[in-house]
Amino acid sequence: MQINQEKLNREKIHVLNKLVSHYGIQNWWSEENRIKDWVSMILIQQTTQANVDKALINLESYLTVRQLHELDEETLQSLIRPAGFYKQKSQYIKALMKWFIDHGESFDKFDEYTDKELRIELLSIKGVGPETADAMMLYLFERKVFIGDQYAIRLFKRLGFGEYKNLEHMRREFNHLADRVPLELCKEWHAAVDVHGKAYRLNKNLDETWLFSSNI
């Protein structure tokens, strides 16, 4: 049983690495200004990257913790309107900045938190669900986690790896694999899965047999 499980783990890693090799390095959420990336993780909810980019251009002069915290909500809503759901998202951005200020306004402070403790903290913020929390952990707090979003769930279901019920189920089945690879590769796993998922959404006949090979 243990041997079979190890083989399954290698197969999963092989598929993820093949995706990264095929689609190339995406460098998602790698801005020098981490607050810009943080805000974009809120803005991207239920919209497209093109709309997020428009909102970020409007926010360009306000992308610090203090400026976003002090900006009146009506102005913030106007600036992020292109990303949609601007009333909700303005509240989420405000809640995020307040949480960060309340915790010392330093990313380094969270080095003392375990992954579990950090995730619980992030999930306590209004507007931060499991997928967003995991993205924040991976790209901002540089914790090696596997993001089991809908693209990942659908892909590994199609490939016959299992019937994953939800993000948390998939996270339990895949998260330990993140410990086996460098942080940067872990980031690229998520990006490659999503890029492939969007390509598949546009072409349901997309060939996926290349994801397997005999040398697993």
Side-chain angles (χ1 to χ4, degrees):
M1 178 65 72
Q2 188 173 356
I3 294 175
N4 291 339
Q5 184 59 50
E6 179 56 30
K7 182 175 185 296
L8 185 61
N9 288 337
R10 292 200 307 271
E11 289 174 346
K12 292 173 180 176
I13 291 173
H14 176 82
V15 168
L16 291 163
N17 288 344
K18 288 275 282 186
L19 285 167
V20 173
S21 177
H22 181 76
Y23 289 104
I25 303 301
Q26 303 296 314
N27 284 320
W28 281 9
W29 288 315
S30 56
E31 292 280 346
E32 184 176 347
N33 181 355
R34 286 196 279 180
I35 302 306
K36 182 176 182 178
D37 281 337
W38 214 355
V39 169
S40 74
M41 291 178 186
I42 297 296
L43 296 177
I44 194 62
Q45 296 173 8
Q46 303 181 70
T47 193
T48 65
Q49 187 61 49
N51 289 335
V52 170
D53 290 340
K54 292 175 185 176
L56 288 173
I57 289 172
N58 292 344
L59 283 172
E60 194 64 43
S61 300
Y62 303 96
L63 290 172
T64 70
V65 175
R66 288 291 169 174
Q67 285 175 309
L68 289 168
H69 180 65
E70 294 169 4
L71 191 63
D72 70 89
E73 199 157 329
E74 186 175 336
T75 301
L76 179 56
Q77 288 175 11
S78 176
L79 293 170
I80 67 172
R81 182 183 287 265
F85 299 96
Y86 55 91
K87 291 184 179 179
Q88 292 177 11
K89 291 179 182 179
S90 66
Q91 293 175 10
Y92 299 164
I93 291 169
K94 287 288 189 181
L96 191 62
M97 295 304 108
K98 183 179 186 304
W99 175 85
F100 195 45
I101 290 171
D102 289 346
H103 285 75
E105 207 171 331
S106 169
F107 285 98
D108 293 339
K109 175 183 177 180
F110 294 93
D111 290 346
E112 63 193 53
Y113 284 59
T114 66
D115 288 354
K116 182 178 180 180
E117 289 169 340
L118 177 57
R119 193 167 190 258
I120 289 172
E121 279 284 347
L122 291 171
L123 288 171
S124 72
I125 305 168
K126 185 176 183 179
V128 177
E131 184 180 333
T132 303
D134 286 343
M136 291 175 177
M137 289 182 66
L138 178 59
Y139 291 95
L140 292 169
F141 294 91
E142 301 193 321
R143 305 296 181 97
K144 291 193 285 186
V145 298
F146 183 85
I147 302 177
D149 62 10
Q150 288 301 315
Y151 286 126
I153 290 172
R154 291 167 188 161
L155 171 65
F156 283 95
K157 275 186 177 181
R158 289 197 305 271
L159 297 180
F161 282 89
E163 289 295 320
Y164 305 104
K165 299 175 182 177
N166 50 44
L167 183 153
E168 292 298 332
H169 181 197
M170 187 168 218
R171 194 177 193 275
R172 290 194 299 271
E173 295 292 324
F174 278 74
N175 205 48
H176 65 285
L177 301 179
D179 292 331
R180 301 190 180 197
V181 300
L183 174 66
E184 293 307 312
L185 180 55
C186 194
K187 293 177 180 179
E188 294 304 327
W189 277 359
H190 171 59
V193 166
D194 280 18
V195 169
H196 180 73
K198 290 169 185 174
Y200 183 86
R201 186 179 62 192
L202 295 173
N203 180 12
K204 295 295 192 295
N205 296 317
L206 190 69
D207 178 30
E208 294 181 315
T209 58
W210 56 272
L211 288 169
F212 293 100
S213 70
S214 59
N215 63 346
I216 295 176

